[in-house]
Amino acid sequence: MTVQPLHAPRPLGLSSARRDAAHFINGAFTQGTSGKYYDNICPVDGSRIGSVPEGGKAEIDAAVKAARAALDGPWGQMSLNERSVLLGKVAAEINRRFDEFLAAECLDTGKPASLASHIDIPRGAANFTMFTDVAKTVSTECFTTPTPDGAGAMNYGLRRPRGVIAVISPWNLPLLLMTWKVGPALALGNTVVVKPSEQTPLTATLLGEVMNSVGIPAGVYNVVHGFGGNSAGEFLTQHPGVNGITFTGSTRSGEALMREAARGVRPVSLELGGKNPALVFADADMDKAIEGVMRSAFANCGQVCLGTERIYVERPIFNEFVARLKQGAEGLRFGRPEDPGTNLGPLVSELHRKKVLSYYAKAVEEGATIITGGGVPDMPAELAAGAWVQPTIWTGLPDDAAVVNEEIFGPCCHIRPFDTEAEAIRLANSTPYGLAASVWTESLSRAHRVASKMEVGICWVNSWFLRDLRTAFGGAKASGIGREGGVHSLEFYTEITNVCVKL
Ligand SMILES: NC(=O)C1=CN([C@@H]2O[C@H](COP(=O)(O)OP(=O)(O)OC[C@H]3O[C@@H](n4cnc5c(N)ncnc54)[C@H](O)[C@@H]3O)[C@@H](O)[C@H]2O)C=CC1
Ligand SMILES: O=C(O)/C=C/C=C(\O)C(=O)O
């Protein structure tokens, strides 16, 4: 494990004025009326980035009312083509202000700029262009229906926006995951109230400036900051003016949110936790498998819901695989986000570090062999207050160990050997979760056979996080309800009215 040499960090390009978050309601930035604030802390070094206002019922009510008024006003009158032009401008403006978005995301999360500039910010922009294209090309159904008089009837579907959408988003890929919901919601004519994660308020705030500068009408995009339970998040999901709720985050919060959504029978789209397996067969291309599994276990410091925390390796290649993954993990470089050589940032917060370290301790109690890591790295004094943890690999745990069954959301994984394809499939599926899996094999028929048996929403073969935004994205079992992406987003963000015309 190496620690980045400390050079003077290049400025992250965010002016001090933008380090304090603000609500964005009805096209205006506001601190709200609750009078409550909390500090936004940078996980790289524990420094204070700025302040964040905590919204209460008044801010949520104002945001929902603004969203409703926009729906009833100019936004609701716009054609898909007009919305498409405006959302294209949003994407272009994010790209024009790329460095500011990058700086904001890196400050909030501590993630390497090399990662955020490759994934988070470009995807944040792309999420605004992709869904108008889908909406323009996907037709609704049409049936001709025989009637007793012989004249018949014609049925056709009309899509209408669902209304005011509550977007509750997490901290691990803040801009990417928030716009993954805001993009399609707006493309399809809805308006939104966003409650970003309390830990990553900056890019959602910055997006308010973009919305105003390209002429998105006031009230279409609203942001209220705050916490989840008994705070802005819960007040938003409870608000009777909200017509649908879309959420990415933990399964436990998803359950709470679903209870709120039951009032008024509001639809939910939930993308929740995972305990994702990788199956590595003896015929896999070892270099590709190591590269892919390295990313899936350690990218974003393991804080990706699609990440791999359980690795099953066919016995003949088990020792080699473990040795090579260990070598890879030990080659990762901690450092400040702006240092180009950094490929491992801190966890998002000290609180999350406590959770991850509690699993590191539990692994020892449960009898794991620590192949590498297992603790906190020695960091230079300037970074010592950051939320750093070592990338960690374990072997030797029983299948019922907590560490093998519960989502940790850190840079860690357990590796276990298997002997038969049937055993690998059984192990992969023996979890309440069902978000993602990856299968590594050079056998075409095995790849298709095993993929078809995975009880997950997304199965990659010989890859990981290879995303086509037109595909269905979401989780099976306790990993979620519903799918978003491409035409699937149309299902959640619109209501279909069937028109039946008697001829
Ligand atoms: N993408 C994913 O799958 C993510 C999974 N997680 C998992 O969740 C664990 C806990 O992390 P948290 O930050 O607490 O995630 P969380 O799921 O509690 O938070 C995600 C979002 O939901 C909001 N929220 C929480 N409770 C709510 C409620 N009752 N009503 C409305 N909104 C609510 C939060 O304010 C935040 O905006 C992590 O350790 C990780 O295992 C966390 C973040 C993302
Ligand atoms: O939409 C994507 O490509 C990425 C999704 C990642 C998550 O949902 C997550 O990490 O929570």
Side-chain angles (χ1 to χ4, degrees), residues 61 80 142 148 183 218 263 350-351 370 387 392 429 432 459 468:
D61 195 47
L80 174 58
C142 177
R263 288 195 224 180
E350 186 51 36
L351 188 67
I370 300 174
T392 295
N429 288 335
C459 180
D468 181 325

Side-chain angles (χ1 to χ4, degrees), residues 423-476:
E423 182 191 13
I425 292 168
R426 177 183 60 75
L427 288 166
N429 288 335
S430 63
T431 167
Y433 291 113
L435 189 53
S438 63
V439 178
W440 300 87
T441 176
E442 290 296 290
S443 157
L444 188 61
S445 45
R446 189 205 301 280
H448 288 291
R449 195 167 58 235
V450 175
S452 73
K453 302 254 171 56
M454 291 294 101
E455 296 168 359
V456 294
I458 305 133
C459 180
W460 279 287
V461 175
N462 296 330
S463 67
W464 179 77
F465 212 131
L466 180 54
R467 293 278 287 113
D468 181 325
L469 307 189
R470 295 168 299 183
T471 60
F473 184 85

Side-chain angles (χ1 to χ4, degrees), residues 279-428:
L279 307 186
V280 187
F281 288 90
D283 64 3
D285 179 316
M286 182 63 101
D287 290 343
K288 286 185 189 153
I290 289 290
E291 187 277 330
V293 174
M294 271 291 295
R295 276 192 301 117
S296 74
F298 303 122
N300 209 36
C301 205
Q303 302 164 120
V304 184
C305 64
L306 308 159
T308 302
E309 291 189 359
R310 297 182 294 141
I311 305 172
Y312 300 105
V313 181
E314 201 165 2
R315 201 173 296 275
I317 60 163
F318 181 79
N319 289 339
E320 183 191 352
F321 186 90
V322 171
R324 289 192 55 183
L325 203 71
K326 169 179 160 46
Q327 189 185 24
E330 291 176 354
L332 292 171
R333 300 184 70 188
F334 292 115
R336 287 191 178 274
E338 61 272 28
D339 278 326
T342 299
N343 45 28
L344 193 63
L347 292 169
V348 75
S349 66
E350 186 51 36
L351 188 67
H352 189 48
R353 180 162 81 154
K354 283 202 175 86
K355 174 187 162 180
V356 171
L357 289 177
S358 77
Y359 279 101
Y360 283 17
K362 195 169 276 186
V364 174
E365 286 161 28
E366 290 183 317
T369 300
I370 300 174
I371 300 298
T372 189
V376 172
D378 280 335
M379 299 301 289
E382 302 88 315
L383 302 180
W388 307 94
V389 291
Q390 289 177 319
T392 295
I393 300 172
W394 304 285
T395 58
L397 282 168
D399 292 334
D400 62 355
V403 166
V404 180
N405 288 280
E406 295 170 16
E407 183 180 55
I408 301 172
F409 226 60
C412 53
C413 56
H414 178 255
I415 317 182
R416 177 209 196 279
F418 70 83
D419 293 298
T420 66
E421 185 179 301
E423 182 191 13
I425 292 168
R426 177 183 60 75
L427 288 166

Side-chain angles (χ1 to χ4, degrees), residues 168-172 195-199 227-229 233-234 237 247-250 253 256-257 272 305 352 355 407 409:
I168 314 246
S169 50
W171 43 260
N172 55 332
K195 209 299 282 168
S197 168
E198 50 273 33
Q199 304 184 62
F227 300 88
E234 192 175 322
T237 54
F247 171 77
T248 300
S250 65
S253 300
L257 220 124
L272 308 176
C305 64
H352 189 48
K355 174 187 162 180
E407 183 180 55
F409 226 60

